[in-house]
Amino acid sequence: MSHPPGLRERKKIRTRNALVDASLRLFEEKGYDATTIAEIAAAVDVSPRTFFSYFTSKEDVVFFDNEVRVAEALRVIADRRPGESAMDLLVRAARQSLDRDFADADRSVEAAQRRTHLIESVPSLQARALHLLFDTQRRVARALHEACPDQLDPVEAAAAVGAIVGAARLAAMTCGDQGASPPEVRAAIDKAIDITIRGLGSFGSPGHDAR
């Protein structure tokens, strides 16, 4: 049973969130390369040493939620329901992640679009984003295979994860380019996932022979 965080932990969470908010604001106002860690720390009234107790670099701030998102997906996959097919499990993990992202749709999608614009404008962030994307897909594919070894071999699990993630991300980016509203973005992602699942057919179903 989990317990609410204590006072010390709540203070650490507030400081971390404040560093993220200040960093993204300064990156947008001054530019990523022109913003220093000292400026970020000063904006939150902490020392640079405190910044480094939460993040190892400016890059880490931009991708502050990556590990939490991956951990949540891995947790869903590890808790596979009795009789749940591999594809149903993967889609459930994907849609649970979307539910989290769109819980406060207007704010979260707008923030995500600003962060995407930042990443696309800085080569080092583009490279880090690709590295994290591929690493995440490898970890999720490995977990999916381990949860459903009777339905998917490692290559099939990798193909399924790559198809779902790629379709969802490209749908979201396309909508962003068109200035779509948060509900339109969510609907497009769900549509892309549905199309991908239909294309995969019986891939990963209980009767599929994983060899």
Side-chain angles (χ1 to χ4, degrees):
M1 181 178 179
S2 61
H3 298 282
L7 178 61
R8 181 181 177 85
E9 186 62 27
R10 290 199 301 272
K11 183 178 179 182
K12 290 176 65 176
I13 292 172
R14 285 196 299 270
T15 300
R16 185 178 188 277
N17 290 342
L19 286 168
V20 170
D21 290 342
S23 297
L24 297 179
R25 175 177 55 80
L26 287 169
F27 294 159
E28 190 170 0
E29 292 174 357
K30 296 189 59 178
Y32 177 80
D33 291 327
T35 301
T36 67
I37 289 174
E39 289 171 328
I40 295 169
V44 184
D45 198 24
V46 298
S47 68
R49 181 177 179 179
T50 297
F51 174 94
F52 286 115
S53 70
Y54 291 89
F55 303 101
T56 60
S57 66
K58 292 191 297 181
E59 282 187 8
D60 279 348
V61 182
V62 177
F63 302 100
F64 67 93
D65 58 346
N66 183 75
E67 192 56 37
V68 171
R69 293 167 59 87
V70 175
E72 288 182 353
L74 295 178
R75 186 161 52 249
V76 172
I77 292 172
D79 292 334
R80 179 189 179 191
R81 296 167 179 169
E84 188 172 31
S85 73
M87 288 298 97
D88 286 343
L89 176 58
L90 179 56
V91 171
R92 181 162 65 87
R95 289 198 161 125
Q96 184 164 310
S97 178
L98 288 173
D99 288 342
R100 176 182 179 274
D101 291 344
F102 284 82
D104 186 358
D106 290 323
R107 182 180 64 82
S108 61
V109 172
E110 181 183 351
Q113 289 173 340
R114 290 202 305 270
R115 185 160 48 154
T116 296
H117 177 73
L118 169 66
I119 293 169
E120 291 176 346
S121 67
V122 181
S124 63
L125 295 180
Q126 287 181 330
R128 179 70 177 275
L130 283 174
H131 169 77
L132 291 175
L133 175 62
F134 293 137
D135 179 66
T136 296
Q137 291 182 88
R138 283 197 298 267
R139 293 167 67 184
V140 172
R142 187 181 307 118
L144 184 64
H145 168 62
E146 291 173 353
C148 310
D150 56 324
Q151 296 179 29
L152 297 173
D153 66 26
V155 173
E156 290 171 333
V161 170
I164 292 291
V165 173
R169 286 180 60 86
L170 190 54
M173 292 173 65
T174 299
C175 285
D177 292 341
Q178 296 173 343
S181 67
E184 289 172 333
V185 174
R186 175 62 193 267
I189 294 173
D190 284 333
K191 180 180 179 180
I193 291 174
D194 289 340
I195 291 171
T196 304
I197 291 299
R198 289 199 300 271
L200 292 173
S202 62
F203 191 54
S205 64
H208 176 74
D209 182 17
R211 288 186 295 182

